[in-house]
Amino acid sequence: MNKYMESAIKLSQKNLKTHEGGPFGAVVVKNGKIIGRSANCVIKNNDPTAHAEIMAIRAACAKIKSYDLSGCELYTSCYPCPMCLSAIIWANIKTVYYGNTKEDAADIGFRDDFIYEYLKVLADGKQNTKVLKLKPLNHKEAIKAFDAFKKQKNKTIY
């Protein structure tokens, strides 16, 4: 078994005993070294965003003191949910290895499929208001910060 995937799987198995989150684990690897690792911490942290992949990304970023994880790989015990996929993309990680499938996650009660479906509907320019209502508000005021950012000479786009 791949040693990095083994580490991610062990983290997922540990959560079966600690009950700190679901049975998910992830590690971030750069140049053959683990620079971030975590199990799912949703219950422990009372934080619905504390998925294993996100927590491992946070740990890796803290370790290398950068928001950019270019050149890193992520090993996760399960196919990442839409939130985690987005975080992986924002972190510039280009390769993800996963153990379980999203269908396996659904089989144990994790509800990612309705989010995938919701995102497809949004991509088609529609809304499913039973899932989430997205309403524009105060655009004239909000755009002022964007306009000021656009004019800044010294800015970082990430």
Side-chain angles (χ1 to χ4, degrees):
M1 179 184 328
N2 176 283
K3 67 182 180 179
Y4 306 120
M5 182 58 76
E6 182 177 15
S7 181
I9 291 169
K10 282 183 180 178
L11 287 164
S12 75
Q13 292 169 337
K14 177 184 170 203
N15 260 14
L16 294 173
K17 297 173 186 156
T18 65
H19 303 286
E20 294 179 346
F24 305 99
V27 298
V28 176
V29 176
K30 184 167 188 163
N31 299 325
K33 292 185 180 171
I34 295 176
I35 61 168
R37 72 177 79 226
S38 186
N40 179 292
C41 299
V42 168
I43 295 168
K44 175 185 172 189
N45 293 2
N46 290 315
D47 179 354
T49 69
H51 290 198
E53 296 90 341
I54 299 230
M55 298 301 288
I57 287 169
R58 290 175 183 166
C61 289
K63 175 135 180 131
I64 66 169
K65 296 178 176 45
S66 177
Y67 56 84
D68 186 356
L69 296 178
S70 293
C72 293
E73 298 173 328
L74 189 132
Y75 294 77
T76 178
S77 63
C78 186
Y79 188 89
C81 76
M83 176 183 67
C84 292
L85 285 170
S86 296
I88 291 162
I89 291 167
W90 279 116
N92 293 312
I93 295 171
K94 301 296 185 205
T95 304
V96 174
Y97 298 95
Y98 63 92
N100 294 311
T101 66
K102 59 185 177 178
E103 292 79 16
D104 295 329
D107 189 49
I108 62 168
F110 288 87
R111 54 194 179 106
D112 299 353
D113 9 340
F114 93 93
I115 300 173
Y116 287 110
E117 289 304 314
Y118 177 75
L119 292 173
K120 283 181 195 172
V121 169
L122 279 181
D124 292 337
K126 301 172 188 162
Q127 276 195 53
N128 178 346
T129 57
K130 290 180 184 176
V131 175
L132 177 67
K133 293 179 178 117
L134 293 167
K135 298 179 177 187
L137 184 65
N138 297 110
H139 181 256
K140 286 182 185 179
E141 291 303 314
I143 197 67
K144 291 176 184 177
F146 278 26
D147 289 340
F149 182 81
K150 199 184 306 184
K151 292 175 186 173
Q152 281 184 337
K153 293 188 183 351
N154 185 18
K155 59 186 167 198
T156 303
I157 303 292
Y158 51 90

PDB file of all heavy atoms in Angstrom, residues 130-148:
ATOM      1  N   LYS A 130     -35.015  25.493  -2.660  1.00  0.00           N
ATOM      2  CA  LYS A 130     -35.246  24.573  -1.541  1.00  0.00           C
ATOM      3  C   LYS A 130     -33.937  24.251  -0.844  1.00  0.00           C
ATOM      4  O   LYS A 130     -33.922  23.927   0.336  1.00  0.00           O
ATOM      5  CB  LYS A 130     -35.917  23.289  -2.029  1.00  0.00           C
ATOM      6  CG  LYS A 130     -37.357  23.491  -2.465  1.00  0.00           C
ATOM      7  CD  LYS A 130     -37.966  22.200  -2.943  1.00  0.00           C
ATOM      8  CE  LYS A 130     -39.382  22.451  -3.456  1.00  0.00           C
ATOM      9  NZ  LYS A 130     -39.978  21.264  -4.023  1.00  0.00           N
ATOM     10  N   VAL A 131     -32.821  24.335  -1.560  1.00  0.00           N
ATOM     11  CA  VAL A 131     -31.501  24.067  -0.993  1.00  0.00           C
ATOM     12  C   VAL A 131     -30.903  25.343  -0.410  1.00  0.00           C
ATOM     13  O   VAL A 131     -30.420  25.361   0.712  1.00  0.00           O
ATOM     14  CB  VAL A 131     -30.547  23.475  -2.062  1.00  0.00           C
ATOM     15  CG1 VAL A 131     -29.147  23.310  -1.507  1.00  0.00           C
ATOM     16  CG2 VAL A 131     -31.072  22.142  -2.567  1.00  0.00           C
ATOM     17  N   LEU A 132     -30.948  26.428  -1.197  1.00  0.00           N
ATOM     18  CA  LEU A 132     -30.311  27.674  -0.783  1.00  0.00           C
ATOM     19  C   LEU A 132     -30.894  28.821  -1.592  1.00  0.00           C
ATOM     20  O   LEU A 132     -31.095  28.691  -2.799  1.00  0.00           O
ATOM     21  CB  LEU A 132     -28.793  27.581  -1.038  1.00  0.00           C
ATOM     22  CG  LEU A 132     -27.951  28.802  -0.734  1.00  0.00           C
ATOM     23  CD1 LEU A 132     -27.925  29.079   0.776  1.00  0.00           C
ATOM     24  CD2 LEU A 132     -26.535  28.592  -1.249  1.00  0.00           C
ATOM     25  N   LYS A 133     -31.136  29.925  -0.926  1.00  0.00           N
ATOM     26  CA  LYS A 133     -31.591  31.136  -1.620  1.00  0.00           C
ATOM     27  C   LYS A 133     -30.398  32.075  -1.729  1.00  0.00           C
ATOM     28  O   LYS A 133     -29.799  32.453  -0.729  1.00  0.00           O
ATOM     29  CB  LYS A 133     -32.720  31.796  -0.842  1.00  0.00           C
ATOM     30  CG  LYS A 133     -33.980  30.962  -0.812  1.00  0.00           C
ATOM     31  CD  LYS A 133     -35.065  31.642   0.000  1.00  0.00           C
ATOM     32  CE  LYS A 133     -36.300  30.792  -0.034  1.00  0.00           C
ATOM     33  NZ  LYS A 133     -36.696  30.300   1.250  1.00  0.00           N
ATOM     34  N   LEU A 134     -30.058  32.469  -2.950  1.00  0.00           N
ATOM     35  CA  LEU A 134     -28.991  33.424  -3.204  1.00  0.00           C
ATOM     36  C   LEU A 134     -29.635  34.716  -3.695  1.00  0.00           C
ATOM     37  O   LEU A 134     -30.254  34.725  -4.762  1.00  0.00           O
ATOM     38  CB  LEU A 134     -28.027  32.879  -4.263  1.00  0.00           C
ATOM     39  CG  LEU A 134     -27.219  31.655  -3.851  1.00  0.00           C
ATOM     40  CD1 LEU A 134     -26.541  31.019  -5.059  1.00  0.00           C
ATOM     41  CD2 LEU A 134     -26.174  32.048  -2.817  1.00  0.00           C
ATOM     42  N   LYS A 135     -29.482  35.785  -2.904  1.00  0.00           N
ATOM     43  CA  LYS A 135     -30.161  37.037  -3.229  1.00  0.00           C
ATOM     44  C   LYS A 135     -29.158  38.188  -3.238  1.00  0.00           C
ATOM     45  O   LYS A 135     -28.473  38.419  -2.242  1.00  0.00           O
ATOM     46  CB  LYS A 135     -31.241  37.333  -2.189  1.00  0.00           C
ATOM     47  CG  LYS A 135     -32.330  36.290  -2.118  1.00  0.00           C
ATOM     48  CD  LYS A 135     -33.342  36.654  -1.054  1.00  0.00           C
ATOM     49  CE  LYS A 135     -34.470  35.650  -1.022  1.00  0.00           C
ATOM     50  NZ  LYS A 135     -35.541  36.075  -0.116  1.00  0.00           N
ATOM     51  N   PRO A 136     -29.078  38.925  -4.344  1.00  0.00           N
ATOM     52  CA  PRO A 136     -28.190  40.088  -4.370  1.00  0.00           C
ATOM     53  C   PRO A 136     -28.720  41.176  -3.433  1.00  0.00           C
ATOM     54  O   PRO A 136     -29.923  41.345  -3.271  1.00  0.00           O
ATOM     55  CB  PRO A 136     -28.229  40.537  -5.829  1.00  0.00           C
ATOM     56  CG  PRO A 136     -29.484  39.976  -6.383  1.00  0.00           C
ATOM     57  CD  PRO A 136     -29.796  38.748  -5.602  1.00  0.00           C
ATOM     58  N   LEU A 137     -27.781  41.916  -2.793  1.00  0.00           N
ATOM     59  CA  LEU A 137     -28.173  42.965  -1.862  1.00  0.00           C
ATOM     60  C   LEU A 137     -27.062  43.995  -1.758  1.00  0.00           C
ATOM     61  O   LEU A 137     -25.890  43.635  -1.578  1.00  0.00           O
ATOM     62  CB  LEU A 137     -28.464  42.350  -0.486  1.00  0.00           C
ATOM     63  CG  LEU A 137     -28.981  43.277   0.606  1.00  0.00           C
ATOM     64  CD1 LEU A 137     -30.361  43.838   0.241  1.00  0.00           C
ATOM     65  CD2 LEU A 137     -29.055  42.519   1.931  1.00  0.00           C
ATOM     66  N   ASN A 138     -27.383  45.250  -1.885  1.00  0.00           N
ATOM     67  CA  ASN A 138     -26.467  46.383  -1.708  1.00  0.00           C
ATOM     68  C   ASN A 138     -25.247  46.337  -2.609  1.00  0.00           C
ATOM     69  O   ASN A 138     -24.123  46.638  -2.187  1.00  0.00           O
ATOM     70  CB  ASN A 138     -26.052  46.518  -0.243  1.00  0.00           C
ATOM     71  CG  ASN A 138     -27.223  46.817   0.656  1.00  0.00           C
ATOM     72  OD1 ASN A 138     -27.611  45.958   1.439  1.00  0.00           O
ATOM     73  ND2 ASN A 138     -27.816  47.998   0.541  1.00  0.00           N
ATOM     74  N   HIS A 139     -25.442  45.987  -3.871  1.00  0.00           N
ATOM     75  CA  HIS A 139     -24.331  45.903  -4.813  1.00  0.00           C
ATOM     76  C   HIS A 139     -23.604  47.234  -4.959  1.00  0.00           C
ATOM     77  O   HIS A 139     -22.376  47.271  -5.016  1.00  0.00           O
ATOM     78  CB  HIS A 139     -24.823  45.409  -6.180  1.00  0.00           C
ATOM     79  CG  HIS A 139     -23.725  45.282  -7.175  1.00  0.00           C
ATOM     80  ND1 HIS A 139     -23.542  46.203  -8.181  1.00  0.00           N
ATOM     81  CD2 HIS A 139     -22.727  44.364  -7.301  1.00  0.00           C
ATOM     82  CE1 HIS A 139     -22.490  45.859  -8.895  1.00  0.00           C
ATOM     83  NE2 HIS A 139     -21.990  44.747  -8.380  1.00  0.00           N
ATOM     84  N   LYS A 140     -24.329  48.341  -5.005  1.00  0.00           N
ATOM     85  CA  LYS A 140     -23.693  49.653  -5.194  1.00  0.00           C
ATOM     86  C   LYS A 140     -22.675  49.954  -4.100  1.00  0.00           C
ATOM     87  O   LYS A 140     -21.646  50.584  -4.358  1.00  0.00           O
ATOM     88  CB  LYS A 140     -24.748  50.761  -5.248  1.00  0.00           C
ATOM     89  CG  LYS A 140     -25.522  50.792  -6.541  1.00  0.00           C
ATOM     90  CD  LYS A 140     -26.519  51.934  -6.548  1.00  0.00           C
ATOM     91  CE  LYS A 140     -27.368  51.877  -7.799  1.00  0.00           C
ATOM     92  NZ  LYS A 140     -28.367  52.942  -7.830  1.00  0.00           N
ATOM     93  N   GLU A 141     -22.947  49.535  -2.888  1.00  0.00           N
ATOM     94  CA  GLU A 141     -22.004  49.746  -1.780  1.00  0.00           C
ATOM     95  C   GLU A 141     -20.890  48.707  -1.797  1.00  0.00           C
ATOM     96  O   GLU A 141     -19.727  49.019  -1.582  1.00  0.00           O
ATOM     97  CB  GLU A 141     -22.736  49.725  -0.433  1.00  0.00           C
ATOM     98  CG  GLU A 141     -23.645  50.913  -0.225  1.00  0.00           C
ATOM     99  CD  GLU A 141     -22.909  52.248  -0.328  1.00  0.00           C
ATOM    100  OE1 GLU A 141     -21.831  52.385   0.266  1.00  0.00           O
ATOM    101  OE2 GLU A 141     -23.418  53.137  -1.034  1.00  0.00           O
ATOM    102  N   ALA A 142     -21.245  47.463  -2.038  1.00  0.00           N
ATOM    103  CA  ALA A 142     -20.261  46.372  -2.015  1.00  0.00           C
ATOM    104  C   ALA A 142     -19.206  46.526  -3.106  1.00  0.00           C
ATOM    105  O   ALA A 142     -18.026  46.216  -2.879  1.00  0.00           O
ATOM    106  CB  ALA A 142     -20.959  45.024  -2.152  1.00  0.00           C
ATOM    107  N   ILE A 143     -19.587  47.025  -4.258  1.00  0.00           N
ATOM    108  CA  ILE A 143     -18.661  47.112  -5.397  1.00  0.00           C
ATOM    109  C   ILE A 143     -17.555  48.130  -5.153  1.00  0.00           C
ATOM    110  O   ILE A 143     -16.493  48.069  -5.778  1.00  0.00           O
ATOM    111  CB  ILE A 143     -19.432  47.394  -6.719  1.00  0.00           C
ATOM    112  CG1 ILE A 143     -18.574  47.066  -7.945  1.00  0.00           C
ATOM    113  CG2 ILE A 143     -19.916  48.828  -6.767  1.00  0.00           C
ATOM    114  CD1 ILE A 143     -18.260  45.615  -8.110  1.00  0.00           C
ATOM    115  N   LYS A 144     -17.756  49.058  -4.218  1.00  0.00           N
ATOM    116  CA  LYS A 144     -16.745  50.086  -3.942  1.00  0.00           C
ATOM    117  C   LYS A 144     -15.417  49.468  -3.506  1.00  0.00           C
ATOM    118  O   LYS A 144     -14.351  49.938  -3.921  1.00  0.00           O
ATOM    119  CB  LYS A 144     -17.255  51.076  -2.900  1.00  0.00           C
ATOM    120  CG  LYS A 144     -18.383  51.956  -3.430  1.00  0.00           C
ATOM    121  CD  LYS A 144     -18.917  52.861  -2.334  1.00  0.00           C
ATOM    122  CE  LYS A 144     -20.109  53.660  -2.863  1.00  0.00           C
ATOM    123  NZ  LYS A 144     -20.707  54.504  -1.812  1.00  0.00           N
ATOM    124  N   ALA A 145     -15.451  48.441  -2.684  1.00  0.00           N
ATOM    125  CA  ALA A 145     -14.213  47.774  -2.259  1.00  0.00           C
ATOM    126  C   ALA A 145     -13.546  47.088  -3.448  1.00  0.00           C
ATOM    127  O   ALA A 145     -12.317  47.108  -3.573  1.00  0.00           O
ATOM    128  CB  ALA A 145     -14.494  46.770  -1.148  1.00  0.00           C
ATOM    129  N   PHE A 146     -14.327  46.496  -4.325  1.00  0.00           N
ATOM    130  CA  PHE A 146     -13.764  45.863  -5.520  1.00  0.00           C
ATOM    131  C   PHE A 146     -13.143  46.894  -6.445  1.00  0.00           C
ATOM    132  O   PHE A 146     -12.068  46.680  -7.000  1.00  0.00           O
ATOM    133  CB  PHE A 146     -14.847  45.076  -6.267  1.00  0.00           C
ATOM    134  CG  PHE A 146     -15.126  43.700  -5.718  1.00  0.00           C
ATOM    135  CD1 PHE A 146     -14.887  43.380  -4.393  1.00  0.00           C
ATOM    136  CD2 PHE A 146     -15.644  42.724  -6.541  1.00  0.00           C
ATOM    137  CE1 PHE A 146     -15.147  42.122  -3.893  1.00  0.00           C
ATOM    138  CE2 PHE A 146     -15.903  41.443  -6.057  1.00  0.00           C
ATOM    139  CZ  PHE A 146     -15.656  41.156  -4.734  1.00  0.00           C
ATOM    140  N   ASP A 147     -13.814  48.024  -6.612  1.00  0.00           N
ATOM    141  CA  ASP A 147     -13.275  49.092  -7.464  1.00  0.00           C
ATOM    142  C   ASP A 147     -11.949  49.599  -6.897  1.00  0.00           C
ATOM    143  O   ASP A 147     -10.993  49.827  -7.648  1.00  0.00           O
ATOM    144  CB  ASP A 147     -14.277  50.235  -7.593  1.00  0.00           C
ATOM    145  CG  ASP A 147     -15.489  49.863  -8.440  1.00  0.00           C
ATOM    146  OD1 ASP A 147     -15.395  48.890  -9.226  1.00  0.00           O
ATOM    147  OD2 ASP A 147     -16.529  50.544  -8.301  1.00  0.00           O
ATOM    148  N   ALA A 148     -11.880  49.769  -5.583  1.00  0.00           N
ATOM    149  CA  ALA A 148     -10.637  50.224  -4.950  1.00  0.00           C
ATOM    150  C   ALA A 148      -9.539  49.182  -5.117  1.00  0.00           C
ATOM    151  O   ALA A 148      -8.381  49.526  -5.396  1.00  0.00           O
ATOM    152  CB  ALA A 148     -10.878  50.521  -3.470  1.00  0.00           C
TER     153      ALA A 148
END
